[in-house]
Amino acid sequence: MTTKAGSTVPRPRTDHRPAPWVRTRLRATPLAALLMAALAFVTVFLAAAFPRAVDRGADDALRRFLHDRGIPATSLVATTAAPARGENAGSLDSVMGKLMARVGRDLPIAPSGPVYGMAAKNPRQMLNPGLARLSESPPMLGVLYLHAFADHATLTDGAWPGTATPGEPLPIAISKAAAETIGIGLGDVLDNGEEVKGPLRTKVVGLYRADDPDDPYWSGLPCPTRACVEGLAWKTSGIADGTDLDALRTWGREGSDFWRMPLDTGAPRADRLGEIRDTVGSYLAGPGATALIRDTGRANLTVTSSLPGVFTRATARYEAAAPLAAVGPAGVAGVATVVLCLAAALATDRRTAELRLLQARGGSRGGVLKRLLGEGAVTVLPAAVLATALALVLLPTPRWGGAVLAAAVTALLALLAFPARAALLWSAPFWSAPRAPGGRRRVVGELLVLALTAAAVAEVRRRGVAPAGTGVDPLLVAAPLLLALSGGVLLARIQPVLVGRLAALAGRRRGLVGFLGLARAARDTSGRRRPSVLPLLALLIAVTTAGFGATVLSDVDGVRTGAARIAVGGDVSLSLPPDATLPEAFAPAAAALPGVRAATGVWTETQTFIIGTDVDSTRVTLVVVDPTAYAEIARTLGVGEFDPAVLAGTPGGPDTPVPALVSSALGQKLSGRPYRLRTPSGGELLTTAAGRVDATPALPGSLQPFVVLPAGPAAARLPELKRLNGWFGVGDIDAAQFADLVRDRGVTSAVGLAKVIREAAQAENRGPDALPGGYTVRTSAKVAADLAADPLQRSAGRLFWSSVGAAAGFALLAVLLTLLRAAPDRAAVLARLRTMGLRPRQGLALIVAEALPQTLAAALGGALVALAAVGLLGPAFDLSALVGVQVGDRLTPGLLPVLLPMAGLTLVVCAGVVVETVVSGRRQIAAELRAGDQR
């Protein structure tokens, strides 16, 4: 339009510009959007964190397992016969460089580096008079050349060996500790009894000390740093020069070149273990071995390693522990899914009127769902991205695919839960009344859940765990969840009837609070007002997961303690070096220590033979013990239990048989007839099998036939059996106090070996308070602690308790969401009751009475389901991986491990209900009293 002055007046716009949907909705309910973002953040963070924690635990367990195996077991060792002549240190260096050029490219080599050299193939005796002997066998000497030996040892006396002079003894250097133990002096020419003089003898030109005896450089070498016991003889190795290795080969009749390449045990990853196994296998027998022969020019080069077996055991341990470790996170996933669905139901209830209005005004389903997805994307996706990034940063590990996938699935569930629930609401006409839950669809769904659970449990019990190499068994992990889901289905049917009966009983009594609370709980659980199966299911899954996992860990602790006791032979045991014995006064003094419940000295002889029967010349292990104490120890350990009256000796002469316990297989061969035992000294003893046992605490894990004799009757007929070469006992025994007793009264001065070994121990700088060499005190507590220190077990325990905490948090959130969902109706009821004289404390009691039945029902139902899960699925779980040793025990139901998590979760939920009521209930009631009922 134009005015007279020619100016133009703008016309008002007639088109409609709707307000931005997402921004308007977020501004209208900022608290709801913030809470949804927080829920998505926590859920996605846990979904991304659990796979990362599992990966870190698997890597740490693998690396610790490899490290504990030691350098010899985790190395590739290339060996070849030494050339007939002309070899020196330079040729060994050249081969080492070629080996490392190929092997080091495919496998991570330890920073300590390779060790290589030449070893005389045949050690020789040292027949010089005056050298120490453990028995009639003379000490043995080996000779080595080691590359970079001087970098790891310090010369203490003499000089480093040089080139051998033709016709003269081979110059060597010997460890000073070994020289003092055996009695070798500087300048000694060691006589090996050969008639031919010259290079077949050795001359000690220097003494050295290892800079660090624990250096990996010395691992697996034949005693170069000290004297060690091999059989019944001392043995050590001397070090020769590398300029002329022909003399060393001549001295040993043959020579063996070796190159040891240790694997870096801190580098392997659990997910790439198969690749490393294939690479190692190629170098042992495959294309890699052929390439090494071609590169080095050594046609007889062979590579050996224990790594394939080590990798196999590591994989078996991980696969056995994986299902147990996955049960906890699977339970958290189930509870988190329930909570997300419950949050979606709460949002749908809050916005039902809005969605119905949009439907009545002609809004399309696709358009509305698109806008709801936009709302969720603004709140959920940024929180999910931040949570995923935080999990990746806080739990670093090279693998990220599983964590990102789990986070994406969780974020997608959080994003789609509310639009999916809105779509179900949209499917009903807006003029129809809300449909009550239940009907045929619910029955069909419940029957399907029960059928799946029965099939899963039956299949797990039929076949056990999945075969090795197939990864985590999904059926074994899902079975406890399916049992919890079935328990929730049954409980949802049973609870309304029980709570309704309780409400009817409460209505007959004086007082209104209990009746109203139970009546509202019965209506809520029956589905006539609002469904509450989801919070019930969340609580039940949390309690089931906690009870099942707690039972696993409790059984593992108990089995580990029992396995440690069996391995030790009691709670404390003492073993002695060869040919050493205990003084007669030691056993009574040890039995008198505080805490000793039962103890016995023992004489064990492995070279005893049965003579004069059908099983003539059968070698057995003879065990001589006090029968009464031995029976108590066997009963405590649960191994080889028997009645001590079976070994009660009868007075008589040499022709009266001594009653004996024999191993089961041996007892079947003897058929109850008397037989004679012949000891290594030539003594004979007539005995008879008075009983059979499958095992004995004195010989843990032994498969050799054994005979157990009572000490009194056996020593009366054969005095040599009165000696003691071991001791074991049960009770609360102080290990330090027992070790002091061993030092003070356990080492007999009558055996020269004890003195020799004690001096060797002092030469190794073991300290004045250490036990003499060969004297070993073992305790079941220490063995159990060593087994429990396995990172695989610690990781599984941490993962389980983290899962329990997360599940408890989500279960509490489910209850709080339920309270929040019913808050308007509850506030209206309480406001009306307040006008009728209801006191605030009674209002709080009413809310607790309304929430408590569901909590208690879920807790008790979860405990029963946990016990059922242990009973039904226990035989399929192998506890060996978590115990640390091979055991035959399986999961067994126990009340205490289930009751403690149940009580803890119940208290947490009840406390949350009280806090929520105190904080928000009063404000809601006040608002209702001011505004009245607006619904």
Side-chain angles (χ1 to χ4, degrees):
M1 186 175 94
T2 304
T3 62
K4 294 181 180 180
S7 60
T8 302
V9 177
R11 295 180 179 180
R13 299 183 60 175
T14 58
D15 57 330
H16 176 66
R17 299 183 63 186
W21 175 283
V22 174
R23 184 176 63 188
T24 302
R25 289 301 311 164
L26 294 181
R27 286 181 175 179
T29 56
L31 181 59
L34 183 62
L35 291 177
M36 186 60 202
L39 177 61
F41 178 86
V42 173
T43 309
V44 173
F45 176 80
L46 290 176
F50 275 122
R52 305 278 284 183
V54 171
D55 289 342
R56 286 165 59 87
D59 289 344
D60 292 344
L62 171 63
R63 292 163 184 170
R64 172 66 181 274
F65 182 77
L66 294 177
H67 179 270
D68 290 346
R69 303 287 76 76
I71 293 292
T74 55
S75 298
L76 273 72
V77 180
T79 57
T80 180
R85 57 181 176 275
E87 186 173 43
N88 54 33
S91 59
L92 297 179
D93 297 341
S94 175
V95 173
M96 185 74 258
K98 295 174 182 178
L99 291 174
M100 285 297 298
R102 183 170 292 273
V103 177
R105 181 184 60 195
D106 298 333
L107 293 173
I109 302 301
S112 57
V115 177
Y116 59 96
M118 176 192 282
K121 193 169 184 179
N122 300 299
R124 294 178 178 271
Q125 298 177 341
M126 293 183 283
L127 301 177
N128 300 55
L131 298 184
R133 297 191 180 194
L134 296 178
S135 61
E136 296 181 357
S137 302
M140 304 296 293
L141 174 69
V143 179
L144 297 169
Y145 159 69
L146 293 175
H147 171 74
F149 170 80
D151 297 336
H152 299 270
T154 300
L155 187 69
T156 59
D157 299 283
W160 292 118
T163 305
T165 303
E168 295 295 327
L170 177 66
I172 62 171
I174 287 183
S175 164
K176 187 173 184 178
E180 293 178 350
T181 300
I182 301 176
I184 302 172
L186 184 65
D188 286 355
V189 175
L190 300 178
D191 183 7
N192 55 29
E194 295 285 347
E195 294 294 335
V196 181
K197 307 298 181 181
L200 295 184
R201 298 194 177 196
T202 54
K203 181 178 181 180
V204 179
V205 298
L207 301 177
Y208 64 86
R209 180 188 70 252
D211 294 337
D212 181 9
D214 297 326
D215 190 337
Y217 180 85
W218 306 107
S219 298
L221 297 176
C223 307
T225 62
R226 59 183 178 86
C228 54
V229 178
E230 186 173 286
L232 295 177
W234 289 116
K235 180 181 179 181
T236 190
S237 291
I239 306 298
D241 185 58
T243 56
D244 183 9
L245 297 178
D246 290 344
L248 190 155
R249 182 185 58 80
T250 303
W251 183 89
R253 298 188 182 93
E254 292 181 52
S256 176
D257 297 338
F258 65 92
W259 299 267
R260 188 186 72 200
M261 295 164 284
L263 183 72
D264 184 1
T265 57
R269 289 164 37 184
D271 62 321
R272 294 185 177 177
L273 192 58
E275 301 175 14
I276 299 178
R277 182 190 296 111
D278 294 341
T279 302
V280 172
S282 174
Y283 284 119
L284 298 183
T290 304
L292 292 180
I293 292 175
R294 182 180 62 251
D295 293 347
T296 60
R298 299 284 186 111
N300 57 355
L301 180 76
T302 59
V303 179
T304 59
S305 178
S306 300
L307 280 172
V310 172
F311 290 154
T312 300
R313 292 195 298 273
T315 303
R317 292 172 70 250
Y318 173 73
E319 291 177 349
L324 300 176
V327 168
V332 177
V335 180
T337 301
V338 171
V339 170
L340 290 176
C341 293
L342 191 59
L346 178 62
T348 304
D349 288 346
R350 180 170 52 85
R351 300 180 60 176
T352 296
E354 172 192 346
L355 296 175
R356 291 293 189 186
L357 180 61
L358 291 173
Q359 185 180 17
R361 291 183 174 181
S364 68
R365 176 186 299 183
V368 173
L369 292 182
K370 181 179 178 181
R371 286 167 173 79
L372 295 181
L373 285 174
E375 292 181 37
V378 173
T379 56
V380 171
L381 294 185
V385 172
L386 181 60
T388 305
L390 186 63
L392 296 178
V393 172
L394 294 181
L395 298 170
T397 180
R399 300 184 290 284
W400 54 269
V404 172
L405 179 61
V409 171
T410 306
L412 189 63
L413 177 62
L415 180 63
L416 297 180
F418 174 48
R421 186 66 181 259
L424 292 177
L425 177 66
W426 198 279
S427 62
F430 65 88
W431 60 81
S432 63
R435 183 166 47 188
R440 286 180 294 180
R441 287 190 301 177
R442 177 180 176 182
V443 173
V444 170
E446 291 175 347
L447 291 177
L448 180 61
V449 169
L450 295 175
L452 287 176
T453 303
V457 172
E459 180 65 14
V460 169
R461 289 182 61 85
R462 184 188 67 82
R463 65 166 174 79
V465 297
T470 58
V472 177
D473 186 352
L475 189 60
L476 196 63
V477 175
L481 281 182
L482 289 174
L483 284 170
L485 188 59
S486 298
V489 167
L490 295 176
L491 193 60
R493 290 289 187 179
I494 297 173
Q495 183 186 352
V497 178
L498 294 179
V499 177
R501 295 290 178 85
L502 292 176
L505 293 176
R508 300 174 185 175
R509 302 173 61 87
R510 298 184 60 184
L512 186 65
V513 173
F515 169 73
L516 283 178
L518 292 174
R520 287 175 58 81
R523 278 198 303 134
D524 190 62
T525 53
S526 66
R528 289 192 296 269
R529 185 164 53 90
R530 287 188 179 90
S532 58
V533 176
L534 290 179
L536 178 72
L537 187 59
L539 281 170
L540 195 139
I541 293 176
V543 174
T544 301
T545 302
F548 187 85
T551 302
V552 170
L553 296 184
S554 176
D555 278 13
V556 166
D557 289 340
V559 173
R560 183 187 295 123
T561 300
R565 278 181 153 185
I566 293 174
V568 171
D571 290 315
V572 177
S573 69
L574 171 65
S575 60
L576 276 63
D579 293 346
T581 60
L582 288 171
E584 293 184 8
F586 176 80
L593 288 174
V596 177
R597 189 169 69 250
T600 179
V602 58
W603 173 256
T604 305
E605 177 57 69
T606 61
Q607 300 296 325
T608 302
F609 290 87
I610 294 177
I611 60 174
T613 67
D614 295 338
V615 290
D616 196 6
S617 300
T618 298
R619 191 181 73 171
V620 298
T621 298
L622 178 62
V623 180
V624 184
V625 293
D626 172 39
T628 303
Y630 179 82
E632 176 62 21
I633 293 173
R635 187 194 63 79
T636 302
L637 271 61
V639 175
E641 300 180 56
F642 71 100
D643 183 359
V646 172
L647 294 184
T650 56
D655 295 332
T656 302
V658 176
L661 288 176
V662 298
S663 54
S664 299
L666 180 61
Q668 294 176 359
K669 296 178 181 179
L670 293 174
S671 302
R673 293 168 295 176
Y675 58 94
R676 289 189 177 273
L677 295 175
R678 176 176 292 171
T679 64
S681 63
E684 294 186 6
L685 181 67
L686 183 64
T687 64
T688 184
R692 302 177 187 178
V693 290
D694 294 329
T696 169
L699 303 172
S702 176
L703 299 178
Q704 185 177 352
F706 60 84
V707 175
V708 180
L709 296 178
R717 291 166 174 78
L718 193 61
E720 67 177 81
L721 300 182
K722 191 176 182 180
R723 297 175 295 171
L724 301 176
N725 59 3
W727 183 94
F728 53 96
V730 293
D732 187 13
I733 307 171
D734 189 337
Q737 192 174 8
F738 180 75
D740 290 340
L741 180 66
V742 174
R743 278 189 292 269
D744 296 340
R745 306 180 63 176
V747 181
T748 174
S749 59
V751 180
L753 172 66
K755 179 180 179 181
V756 174
I757 296 181
R758 191 184 310 114
E759 292 175 352
Q762 294 172 353
E764 294 178 30
N765 298 320
R766 298 171 66 178
D769 294 333
L771 289 174
Y775 285 76
T776 305
V777 173
R778 300 183 68 199
T779 65
S780 60
K782 178 65 168 58
V783 173
D786 291 342
L787 293 175
D790 186 355
L792 186 67
Q793 303 169 36
R794 293 204 307 269
S795 175
R798 288 196 303 266
L799 194 64
F800 164 72
W801 289 117
S802 300
S803 301
V804 169
F810 278 118
L812 175 61
L813 183 59
V815 174
L816 295 180
L817 286 175
T818 304
L819 293 175
L820 183 62
R821 190 181 187 188
D825 181 71
R826 184 178 66 244
V829 171
L830 291 177
R832 297 189 189 103
L833 293 175
R834 184 70 60 84
T835 62
M836 299 168 63
L838 185 74
R839 293 191 297 271
R841 290 184 179 180
Q842 292 177 315
L844 175 61
L846 176 62
I847 297 174
V848 172
E850 179 181 347
L852 193 60
Q854 186 182 63
T855 302
L856 291 179
L860 292 175
L864 293 176
V865 173
L867 291 173
V870 173
L872 293 173
L873 305 176
F877 283 89
D878 184 5
L879 300 181
S880 299
L882 293 181
V883 172
V885 293
Q886 190 65 35
V887 295
D889 301 75
R890 294 295 185 266
L891 286 178
T892 55
L895 284 178
L896 188 60
V898 174
L899 291 178
L900 290 179
M902 181 197 75
L905 284 173
T906 303
L907 290 176
V908 168
V909 171
C910 291
V913 170
V914 172
V915 171
E916 192 275 340
T917 302
V918 172
V919 172
S920 61
R922 184 176 300 177
R923 183 174 62 252
Q924 293 172 348
I925 294 173
E928 288 287 341
L929 289 174
R930 288 195 302 267
D933 189 3
Q934 302 296 328
R935 291 169 298 280

